[in-house]
């Protein structure tokens, strides 16, 4: 929830302008607030950058004032949505059951969900992180069919690292990503597990991204604060070309 519309448009144009020579723009997704989706999408179409929504309703349609459905997002020509960001879980009471419905609804409408999971600092300090992540995946995603699961993108975002300036070490990220891939492999087989992208999020910036993205099981990043600084975000996009 940053920037008014004019600032967001200018910021977006700066990013597109700075990244236009990148061969990997198809690997960059931007998740603006709902009201900016369509106008930015109209700019984006000429630049081949894809957009997604930051959230989506758990219900299909009807009397849910204030909600935005997957089919509405899809009807704008937008193909991605975040699901279960830790702020949605913490501040808006989104539990595993709601997130399961959101994942189902997104897939039914051919939106690709970026499903966020992560443990709190207390959970990390008591070494419960694997149990927590395992439960989050199990309760909201592992009911999916194989053909659905392989459309999901996972974002591991330790809550203690989001917006705090404290990043997980590259080894902590790698260990958790390997754990997640292994859980997917046990449930869905190695082929699907290897084909899926697992992104790291939480104080990821231009200074630490190269090392994080260099880890075997870290396939990219979900960038918050650093994406609000055009120069820094452009440096991170440039890493994709290396
Ligand atoms: P951050 O945010 O990069 O500012 O930690 C990540 C996120 O909100 O997903």
């Amino acid at each position: 929830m940053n920037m008014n519309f004019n600032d967001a448009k200018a910021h977006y144009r700066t990013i597109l302008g700075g990244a236009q020579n990148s061969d990997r723009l198809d690997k960059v997704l931007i998740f603006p607030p709902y009201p900016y989706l369509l106008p930015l999408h109209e700019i984006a179409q000429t630049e081949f950058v894809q957009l997604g929504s930051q959230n989506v309703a758990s219900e299909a349609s009807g009397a849910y004032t204030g909600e935005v459905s997957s089919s509405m997002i899809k009807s704008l020509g937008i193909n991605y949505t975040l699901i279960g960001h830790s702020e949605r879980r913490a501040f808006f009471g989104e539990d595993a059951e709601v997130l399961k419905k959101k994942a189902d609804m997104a897939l039914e409408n051919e939106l690709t969900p970026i499903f966020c999971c992560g443990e709190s600092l207390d959970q990390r300090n008591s070494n419960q992180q694997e149990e927590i992540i395992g439960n989050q995946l199990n309760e909201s995603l592992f009911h999916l069919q194989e053909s659905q699961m392989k459309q999901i993108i996972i974002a591991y975002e330790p809550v203690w690292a989001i917006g705090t300036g404290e990043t997980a070490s590259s080894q902590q990220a790698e260990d958790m990503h390997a754990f997640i891939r292994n859980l997917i492999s046990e449930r869905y087989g190695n082929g699907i597990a290897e084909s899926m992208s697992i992104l790291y999020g939480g104080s990821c910036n231009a200074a630490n991204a190269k090392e994080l993205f260099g880890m075997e099981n870290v396939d990219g990043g979900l960038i918050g604060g650093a994406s609000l600084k055009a120069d820094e975000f452009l440096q991170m996009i440039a890493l994709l070309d290396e």
Side-chain angles (χ1 to χ4, degrees):
M1 205 167 69
N2 290 285
M3 296 191 192
N4 65 32
F5 181 48
N6 283 336
D7 291 342
K9 233 179 354 186
H11 181 59
Y12 189 56
R13 285 191 192 281
T14 306
I15 290 170
L16 290 179
Q20 65 188 356
N21 293 326
S22 169
D23 292 334
R24 307 296 301 278
L25 274 189
D26 62 330
K27 300 289 180 203
V28 180
L29 301 171
I30 311 260
F31 295 83
Y34 284 137
Y36 305 169
L37 274 170
L38 188 55
L40 296 191
H41 182 52
E42 281 164 358
I43 301 172
Q45 275 174 330
T46 61
E47 312 278 355
F48 311 109
V49 165
Q50 300 240 41
L51 301 182
S53 59
Q54 298 179 2
N55 183 27
V56 84
S58 58
E59 305 299 328
S61 69
Y64 298 99
T65 303
E67 289 293 281
V68 176
S69 72
S70 288
S71 67
M72 290 172 172
I73 299 292
K74 185 70 185 184
S75 70
L76 300 176
I78 286 167
N79 297 316
Y80 295 86
T81 184
L82 299 182
I83 290 183
H85 190 280
S86 70
E87 288 147 19
R88 301 299 318 170
R89 293 176 188 261
F91 304 146
F92 301 97
E94 295 191 5
D95 62 14
E97 194 55 33
V98 165
L99 299 178
K100 180 181 180 187
K101 286 168 81 176
K102 291 189 178 204
D104 288 345
M105 207 48 76
L107 288 167
E108 218 171 275
N109 289 282
E110 296 175 11
L111 290 183
T112 298
I114 289 81
F115 181 86
C116 306
C117 55
E119 81 285 357
S120 68
L121 186 58
D122 281 353
Q123 290 162 340
R124 167 70 61 169
N125 286 340
S126 52
N127 203 27
Q128 286 178 288
Q129 63 272 16
E130 292 189 349
E131 181 189 337
I132 297 296
I133 304 301
N135 287 343
Q136 290 175 350
L137 297 178
N138 201 26
E139 290 169 5
S140 299
L141 293 184
F142 281 4
H143 65 291
L144 297 172
Q145 308 291 320
E146 285 182 11
S147 60
Q148 296 175 306
M149 188 62 184
K150 62 185 180 198
Q151 295 171 50
I152 305 270
I153 296 171
I154 307 272
Y156 169 57
E157 298 207 303
V159 179
W160 45 273
I162 298 179
T164 59
E166 188 178 343
T167 324
S169 70
S170 49
Q171 194 57 52
Q172 282 173 320
E174 169 60 19
D175 289 348
M176 183 56 82
H177 285 224
F179 173 75
I180 292 170
R181 208 180 295 284
N182 189 46
L183 283 184
I184 297 170
S185 176
E186 282 172 4
R187 171 72 181 80
Y188 291 98
N190 200 38
I192 289 180
E194 289 298 326
S195 75
M196 288 176 59
S197 286
I198 307 176
L199 313 180
Y200 170 79
S203 298
C204 190
N205 56 36
N208 59 32
K210 189 168 182 171
E211 184 176 331
L212 282 161
F213 298 171
M215 303 307 284
E216 188 183 344
N217 283 290
V218 179
D219 301 313
L222 180 46
I223 318 302
S227 71
L228 300 174
K229 300 174 208 145
D231 282 357
E232 179 156 17
F233 193 53
L234 283 167
Q235 286 173 43
M236 298 174 87
I237 292 175
L239 288 176
L240 299 172
D241 288 320
E242 286 182 3

